[in-house]
Amino acid sequence: MSDRERLARAALTRVLEPGDERGGRWLRECGGVELLRRITVRDGSAEQLNGITAKRLAGYRLRVETADPARDLAAVAEVGGRFVCPGDQEWPTQLDDLGDTRPTGLWVRGRPGLRLWALRSVAVVGARACTPYGAHMATTLGAGLAERGWVVVSGAAFGVDGAAHRGALAAGGATMAVLACGVDVVYPRGHTELIWRMVEQGLVIGELPPAAHPTRSRFILRNRVIAALTRGTVVVEAEYRSGSLVTARWAQRLGRFTMGVPGPATSGLSAGVHELLRGEGVLVTDAAEVAELVGDMGELAPARCGPVLPRDLLDAECGRVLDALPARGTADGREVARTAGTSADAALARLYELHSLGFVERHGDGWELTRRPTRNDDARRGGT
């Protein structure tokens, strides 16, 4: 990309709001340099843009008066950042799936390459006011995915976002924050240390130029970048109106995997997740299940089953003979055979087999179940 086009796109990040579909269409048709010229120069060419209105154009021209791309590029370079545009080697091409809502460019802080990290990334998002359960699940997922070599992407907000970032960092893994403000602005203030750690160990990116502050709409629009950048989105705790569900809907629209962590049916913070799971969302409970869904061939979660008990290994006839013995007291071989529905000789043979395995004991002509030692619950709890 030419220096002129880069400067124009940097200026347009101050003019166009994130996700401005009309602006994205004009940018695609005209290019950054020409679009900026039409907005700036009052020669009637801007009015010829398809779908432009006088009100919209007036808003653009008011903003372009304060645009100084050279100053913004210098400001981001001063904090160790850079501006990445479509066509650059570092540009994640999966963002092109957003069509005309694709970012004009991305302001980036951090040493790793954005394109490389985005190739193997998963979004973990959820409620800001999450429960301890939600924070625990997000932290566990973040750490587990990082240990498996996945980049954990979220929005650096309170609650689930912050827990997912911390889990990845605690595991010594990779994590990326997509901000709804300038990358030199720390928001929320309570996450100052966390965001600085991500700048040092990971990546912090955003569509807005330096010093730009977040708004409610920008948080919502930011979510489309999270969904497009990653292979899949995991939602941990979300109410019906949660912004996290916006990320999930964008992921579904873009053909990405959408996953949800179930919670209590009585919890309003899990209601949105459960609604997602009733649709196209996939239920996941740990990082292994997430990696199995979004990963490459062979990244399988371990088989899940209950414990195998010694009794499970008995054949059918042995099981019936064992069931035929009373819970208390003894029974002779003929009674056992009658209850088990087998012959006396077969029952006796099975009883001796069960005796050798430690399931039953013989007392004279009678047989009884081996008494298992009872667990001393009081001792286990520290009682007397």
Side-chain angles (χ1 to χ4, degrees):
M1 182 166 290
S2 68
D3 291 340
R4 288 186 65 210
E5 183 70 15
R6 187 178 302 278
L7 277 171
R9 283 180 174 266
L12 287 170
T13 61
R14 285 209 176 271
V15 177
L16 304 177
E17 275 293 305
D20 186 337
E21 191 168 4
R22 290 185 183 179
R25 185 177 74 248
W26 299 327
L27 185 60
R28 172 173 52 83
E29 293 172 349
C30 305
V33 174
E34 175 62 15
L35 179 59
L36 185 62
R37 188 198 68 79
R38 291 192 183 193
I39 293 173
T40 307
V41 179
R42 300 174 184 270
D43 60 356
S45 58
E47 285 77 5
Q48 296 175 10
L49 293 170
N50 185 26
I52 194 78
T53 63
K55 182 178 180 181
R56 181 182 289 265
L57 182 57
Y60 287 161
R61 284 177 170 164
L62 193 62
R63 286 186 168 190
V64 81
E65 291 174 1
T66 61
D68 187 345
R71 179 194 62 197
D72 288 338
L73 290 170
V76 80
E78 189 176 343
V79 294
R82 55 200 179 275
F83 184 57
V84 180
C85 297
D88 287 348
Q89 186 176 0
E90 196 179 354
W91 179 259
T93 53
Q94 58 266 46
L95 291 178
D96 298 342
D97 294 344
L98 290 170
D100 289 337
T101 64
R102 178 183 71 172
T104 305
L106 288 174
W107 303 88
V108 181
R109 290 182 70 186
R111 289 187 293 272
L114 175 58
R115 178 185 174 88
L116 182 62
W117 270 32
L119 288 175
R120 190 175 166 85
S121 62
V122 179
V124 180
V125 297
R128 284 177 171 82
C130 67
T131 65
Y133 164 77
H136 169 76
M137 290 303 301
T139 304
T140 304
L141 282 171
L145 288 166
E147 289 169 353
R148 287 167 172 78
W150 289 88
V151 178
V152 178
V153 180
S154 199
F158 289 129
V160 167
D161 289 17
H165 289 308
R166 290 189 183 93
L169 291 170
T175 187
M176 185 191 317
V178 182
L179 304 183
C181 55
V183 292
D184 59 341
V185 176
V186 175
Y187 188 89
R189 291 289 182 184
H191 276 176
T192 299
E193 182 181 353
L194 175 62
I195 292 173
W196 274 106
R197 283 187 65 192
M198 283 190 281
V199 170
E200 291 296 320
Q201 298 177 229
L203 284 172
V204 174
I205 70 173
E207 298 179 75
L208 293 160
H213 289 276
T215 62
R216 182 183 294 272
S217 63
R218 287 171 176 175
F219 281 115
I220 299 299
L221 292 165
R222 175 269 311 270
N223 293 339
R224 82 193 194 289
V225 177
I226 295 176
L229 198 63
T230 55
R231 288 200 195 179
T233 296
V234 186
V235 183
V236 183
E237 289 196 327
E239 295 180 304
Y240 286 123
R241 288 175 51 84
S242 173
S244 306
L245 297 181
V246 175
T247 311
R249 285 192 286 270
W250 266 108
Q252 290 175 340
R253 196 176 307 155
L254 295 168
R256 309 294 197 263
F257 294 102
T258 307
M259 297 152 278
V261 176
T266 54
S267 172
L269 280 170
S270 293
V273 180
H274 295 164
E275 192 64 24
L276 179 69
L277 294 176
R278 281 168 52 84
E280 299 178 8
V282 178
L283 187 150
V284 293
T285 58
D286 61 18
E289 293 176 353
V290 175
E292 180 181 65
L293 189 63
V294 303
D296 300 321
M297 186 178 295
E299 293 190 58
L300 300 176
R304 309 301 170 90
C305 62
V308 178
L309 303 177
R311 185 170 183 145
D312 298 334
L313 303 176
L314 299 175
D315 62 32
E317 190 173 44
C318 266
R320 290 201 307 273
V321 170
L322 187 61
D323 288 339
L325 287 167
R328 296 182 182 278
T330 62
D332 61 31
R334 295 181 66 82
E335 291 178 48
V336 172
R338 187 180 303 114
T339 305
T342 186
S343 66
D345 290 341
L348 190 60
R350 294 302 187 188
L351 284 167
Y352 276 109
E353 182 180 345
L354 290 167
H355 181 268
S356 67
L357 295 173
F359 285 95
V360 300
E361 296 176 356
R362 183 179 179 183
H363 296 281
D365 292 333
W367 298 86
E368 69 175 357
L369 295 172
T370 300
R371 292 185 177 88
R372 304 293 179 188
T374 57
R375 184 174 60 186
N376 189 339
D377 286 333
D378 286 336
R380 181 171 59 86
R381 292 192 295 264
T384 56

